[in-house]
Amino acid sequence: MEISTLATYHCLAFVWYFFVAYSITHVKTEEPPSELFLYGGQWKYLTVLNLFLQAVFYGVSFLADVLRLIKKLRCAKCIISSRDLLFSVLAFPVSTFVSMSFWTLYTYNRELVYPKSLDGVIPLWLNHAMHTAVFPFALLEILALPHRYPAKKKGLFLLGFVAFLYISWVLWIYSVTGEWVYPLFALFSPSGLAAFFAGSLAIIVSCYNFGEFLNRMIWGQSKFS
């Protein structure tokens, strides 16, 4: 794909994610559903954090394209390295995990992850923008251009560290409010919850490996030295 075309695509993707993130953080309702609580705001939900992650990623990607277009290759090289690391370690795995886990749980019992009362607060298009469209966007990014993956240990360490931070944030919110970010967590005993988090970590690691596999199959081996 030509650089100018990539720049247009990345710019549009950035605008889209910025718009979706803005829309979800400015949803207003006179009587919030009882399932919602104020502590942590929208920042306690992985879905919302992922929207901002994607906006940052596509913003960085657009900047890299612009630098290449104006022949600032030295600066572009640094930004491209950051772009590829961000995509491989976070943008692709998190988007894939969010979409897959949400719709799996939604199909099983939506009240565990997205209570029906939210239908009157969050429009259908916004729900799909947050939980459905993120995965096709991630796949399209892999098809659009190659991304250099870091060494496996480094990539998985960074991914695991970010996962640990989010789990710690969820546990902190529970310790303060006595309420779980997602109703699903209330079903587990402490050991069951630990097993659930471990299983979720294994799934998101699989998402990382899946992205690396697709990138290698489409573009060939491409890693940081």
Side-chain angles (χ1 to χ4, degrees), residues 32 98 106 136:
V98 164
Y106 185 97

Side-chain angles (χ1 to χ4, degrees), residues 35 37 39 44-46 112-113 166 169-171 173-174 177 179-185:
E35 293 84 354
F37 57 98
Y39 190 89
K44 57 181 172 284
Y45 299 112
L46 183 60
L112 296 177
V113 65
Y166 180 69
W169 174 227
V170 168
L171 294 175
I173 291 173
Y174 178 74
T177 66
E179 298 182 78
W180 288 109
V181 172
Y182 298 103
L184 169 69
F185 296 161

Side-chain angles (χ1 to χ4, degrees), residues 51-220:
L51 293 176
F52 282 90
L53 167 65
Q54 301 304 318
V56 169
F57 166 71
Y58 282 106
V60 171
S61 297
F62 177 61
L63 176 60
D65 298 334
V66 170
L67 290 174
R68 291 173 67 192
L69 283 171
I70 62 177
K71 307 300 183 182
K72 298 290 185 178
L73 300 182
R74 181 174 297 180
C75 294
K77 185 176 181 180
C78 178
I79 300 299
I80 288 172
S81 295
S82 299
R83 177 203 69 191
D84 288 347
L85 188 63
L86 189 59
F87 178 77
S88 61
V89 173
L90 292 178
F92 184 87
V94 176
S95 284
T96 305
F97 177 81
V98 164
S99 184
M100 179 174 60
S101 60
F102 175 83
W103 288 113
T104 298
L105 292 170
Y106 185 97
T107 302
Y108 174 71
N109 182 355
R110 65 170 298 178
E111 295 299 318
L112 296 177
V113 65
Y114 193 84
K116 192 174 180 59
S117 57
L118 292 180
D119 290 345
V121 178
I122 300 174
L124 181 62
W125 74 265
L126 188 52
N127 181 21
H128 282 293
M130 295 188 297
H131 298 116
T132 307
V134 291
F135 181 57
F137 264 103
L139 286 179
L140 183 57
E141 178 65 22
I142 283 186
L143 294 172
L145 74 162
H147 295 83
R148 300 176 64 197
Y149 272 67
K152 180 63 69 70
K153 287 184 179 180
K154 177 181 178 181
L156 293 181
F157 173 80
L158 293 174
L159 176 60
F161 179 70
V162 173
F164 171 78
L165 290 179
Y166 180 69
I167 291 173
S168 299
W169 174 227
V170 168
L171 294 175
W172 170 258
I173 291 173
Y174 178 74
S175 71
V176 173
T177 66
E179 298 182 78
W180 288 109
V181 172
Y182 298 103
L184 169 69
F185 296 161
L187 301 178
F188 296 106
S189 64
S191 59
L193 189 62
F196 177 82
F197 285 147
S200 298
L201 181 60
I203 292 173
I204 201 169
V205 166
S206 298
C207 293
Y208 174 95
N209 290 329
F210 177 58
E212 185 179 35
F213 170 78
L214 289 179
N215 187 74
R216 184 171 63 251
M217 290 299 99
I218 296 171
W219 301 103

